[in-house]
Amino acid sequence: MNVQTLCLGALTLGEASGYEIKKLFEDGPFAYFYHASYGSIYPALSMLLENELITMRQEEQDGRPDKKVYAITPKGSGVLGRKLKKAPAPDKIRSEAMLMFFLADHLDASHLDEVFEGYLEAYRDKLDYVNRPDDGEWPPHCQFVKGLGQAFYRTAIRYMEENRHLLFSSIDQGEKR
Amino acid sequence: MNVQTLCLGALTLGEASGYEIKKLFEDGPFAYFYHASYGSIYPALSMLLENELITMRQEEQDGRPDKKVYAITPKGSGVLGRKLKKAPAPDKIRSEAMLMFFLADHLDASHLDEVFEGYLEAYRDKLDYVNRPDDGEWPPHCQFVKGLGQAFYRTAIRYMEENRHLLFSSIDQGEKR
DNA sequence: ACCGGCATGTAACGGGTTACATGATTTT
DNA sequence: AAAATCATGTAACCCGTTACATGCCGGT
């Protein structure tokens, strides 16, 4: 499963530009379970277009650069369907922050504090974002995914607030905060 | 932050072979926040050895292949310390299972069911694993990380059990189960 | 005047995974 | 008899990120 499949999946939600697809992974509902950058999305869309799995329509905008709006074709739907028939690969996570917490005894207290607060803040932001009243009103199976994201965020925030002492107890010897 | 840094971090927990380091990411405490394969770990260890950030000792075993036991050097500790001074990159997650749930309306019910049960089962296994009575008795900051992993697993399991219907409601039209 | 957002794209580079290669021993 | 565990390693390949390149508009 690569970014091409991902774009195909994103386009089943409706037509979109590369820029808009990127935002799905930045803020949108995909944000907590997948990532992709422009450098992978744009070439993926070109490929998909070439293979007629999607179509493109140039949209003029006033005061904005032109937009290339892509839409999935029946052929694209077929390909996506076949890719989704396989068993999913196990989740892959890489959290540098967690690694830092795990190696907290090698960090000085002030830096650990910065990392901790930054990480916690990031989770609060994500939760705020996902808690906004729904714009697009999702079908139940998308709510399932969104809800799991929320549950994760809440869990992380509560846990971090309640167990902060565990992280800092190893290296508390009278430093700031 | 690459696999070299990761190996250095792993070796701060005590000396270990490449094989043992791999297991830290498979079952061990690293499992829920980082991944690495042999194809990256072994070359990383070679590099670290070459740069004298770690040392190696060949250990003979009866009825087993020889083992190369690595240990971090002071130089290695220094390098690790410097890498940990930087701000952590944001978490990167890719969950094909979640993507499938998000696109559940493109899957047939039996496959969705398989994926769902498999994913839930995987979480139960991970929770069982992490719930085992501690072998190595970790310091508090490692308990913090381990505890957050447990909290995540429990959250996922409970949520999936309680919200199964959301996922299947879109495509329920009298199929098996 | 400058920054952030909108909008698309490319090229080099880095990095990790997959698959292969080998082989003994223990468990099922 | 087969499969899993222990144990190390290599090479080709895939793929994605980073950084660069471009440009207009609106807000501060």
Side-chain angles (χ1 to χ4, degrees):
Chain A
M1 193 151 311
N2 52 21
V3 178
Q4 270 181 56
T5 315
L6 216 59
C7 289
L8 236 33
L11 290 174
T12 65
L13 305 177
E15 37 172 51
S17 64
Y19 190 82
E20 284 160 355
I21 291 175
K22 170 74 198 307
K23 291 191 71 194
L24 285 178
F25 299 104
E26 230 167 53
D27 320 315
F30 284 61
Y32 92 93
F33 64 87
Y34 238 100
H35 296 270
S37 61
Y38 291 125
S40 56
I41 290 172
Y42 284 123
L45 288 170
S46 303
M47 260 295 147
L48 291 169
L49 187 63
E50 212 174 283
N51 294 117
E52 296 173 304
L53 306 186
I54 57 176
T55 58
M56 191 264 280
R57 164 172 58 87
Q58 202 108 14
E59 203 173 82
E60 288 163 50
Q61 299 182 121
D62 38 271
R64 289 276 153 77
D66 279 11
K67 215 196 229 185
K68 292 185 174 177
V69 180
Y70 298 93
I72 192 165
T73 63
K75 195 175 163 189
S77 268
V79 169
L80 180 62
R82 254 163 282 144
K83 299 240 179 162
L84 294 178
K85 272 202 178 61
K86 293 187 278 192
D91 295 358
K92 296 215 186 314
I93 306 169
R94 20 189 60 200
S95 173
E96 294 194 358
M98 281 294 149
L99 181 62
M100 285 197 183
F101 297 153
F102 200 81
L103 305 174
D105 49 344
H106 298 270
L107 276 73
D108 55 287
S110 66
H111 184 230
L112 180 58
D113 186 73
E114 266 173 49
V115 173
F116 182 88
E117 295 302 332
Y119 198 61
L120 183 50
E121 192 55 31
Y123 269 119
R124 287 191 181 125
D125 287 348
K126 288 177 195 171
L127 185 58
D128 279 350
Y129 182 86
V130 87
N131 270 341
R132 295 169 325 165
D134 258 297
D135 22 83
E137 207 41 63
W138 301 94
H141 62 271
C142 292
Q143 277 170 34
F144 173 90
V145 173
K146 211 181 136 183
L148 186 47
Q150 281 179 320
F152 272 132
Y153 294 156
R154 288 205 196 97
T155 298
I157 293 166
R158 190 179 318 133
Y159 183 89
M160 287 180 75
E161 286 170 348
E162 285 171 6
N163 295 280
R164 203 184 184 282
H165 62 279
L166 284 177
L167 197 53
F168 288 86
S169 65
S170 309
I171 50 170
D172 263 353
Q173 49 224 14
E175 72 307 283
K176 69 170 166 179
R177 190 163 245 226
Chain B
M1 190 152 310
N2 52 23
V3 177
Q4 270 181 56
T5 315
L6 217 58
C7 289
L8 236 33
L11 290 174
T12 65
L13 305 176
E15 37 172 49
S17 63
Y19 189 83
E20 285 161 355
I21 291 175
K22 170 74 198 309
K23 291 191 72 193
L24 285 178
F25 299 102
E26 231 167 53
D27 321 315
F30 285 60
Y32 92 94
F33 64 86
Y34 238 100
H35 295 269
S37 62
Y38 291 124
S40 57
I41 290 172
Y42 284 123
L45 289 170
S46 302
M47 262 295 149
L48 291 170
L49 187 63
E50 211 174 284
N51 295 116
E52 295 173 304
L53 306 185
I54 56 176
T55 57
M56 191 264 282
R57 162 172 60 86
Q58 203 107 14
E59 204 173 83
E60 288 162 51
Q61 299 182 118
D62 38 270
R64 290 273 152 79
D66 279 11
K67 215 196 227 183
K68 291 185 174 177
V69 180
Y70 297 92
I72 193 165
T73 63
K75 195 175 163 189
S77 267
V79 169
L80 180 62
R82 255 163 280 146
K83 300 242 178 159
L84 293 178
K85 273 205 178 58
K86 294 187 276 191
D91 295 358
K92 295 215 186 316
I93 306 170
R94 19 189 60 200
S95 172
E96 295 196 357
M98 281 296 150
L99 180 62
M100 286 198 182
F101 297 152
F102 199 82
L103 305 173
D105 50 344
H106 298 271
L107 274 74
D108 55 286
S110 66
H111 185 231
L112 180 57
D113 186 72
E114 264 173 52
V115 173
F116 182 88
E117 295 301 333
Y119 198 61
L120 182 51
E121 192 55 29
Y123 269 119
R124 288 191 181 125
D125 287 348
K126 288 177 196 171
L127 184 59
D128 280 350
Y129 181 88
V130 89
N131 270 339
R132 294 170 327 167
D134 259 295
D135 22 84
E137 206 42 64
W138 302 94
H141 61 271
C142 293
Q143 277 169 36
F144 173 90
V145 174
K146 210 182 138 186
L148 185 48
Q150 280 180 320
F152 272 133
Y153 293 156
R154 288 205 196 97
T155 297
I157 292 166
R158 190 180 317 133
Y159 183 89
M160 288 181 75
E161 285 170 349
E162 285 171 7
N163 295 280
R164 204 184 183 283
H165 62 278
L166 284 177
L167 197 52
F168 289 86
S169 66
S170 309
I171 50 171
D172 261 354
Q173 49 224 16
E175 73 308 281
K176 70 170 168 179
R177 181 160 246 220

